[in-house]
Amino acid sequence: MHSGHQATLAAKHATLDQRIARESQRPLPDAMTIAHLKKLKLKIKEELAAQ
């Protein structure tokens, strides 16, 4: 069950990475959105590291 959970977290991490990149490439990126996405990404990274 751990590997399934890790795979889900890794997929969410990758999706957040893509969303951050897409937002950063916009003509007027929203710094608040980017900061929020980065916080979510960090939480997932920490959870992955704890397992």
Side-chain angles (χ1 to χ4, degrees):
M1 176 117 170
H2 264 342
S3 63
H5 184 63
Q6 284 180 314
T8 301
L9 289 174
K12 286 181 181 180
H13 190 269
T15 300
L16 286 170
D17 215 16
Q18 292 171 351
R19 289 178 62 191
I20 291 166
R22 202 174 16 206
E23 182 65 32
S24 297
Q25 293 172 358
R26 288 183 45 207
L28 292 172
D30 184 352
M32 294 296 290
T33 298
I34 292 172
H36 176 71
L37 293 172
K38 285 183 176 184
K39 283 182 184 180
L40 292 174
K41 186 178 163 189
L42 179 60
K43 285 182 183 181
I44 291 171
K45 182 178 178 180
E46 289 173 346
E47 192 172 340
L48 281 168
Q51 294 181 1

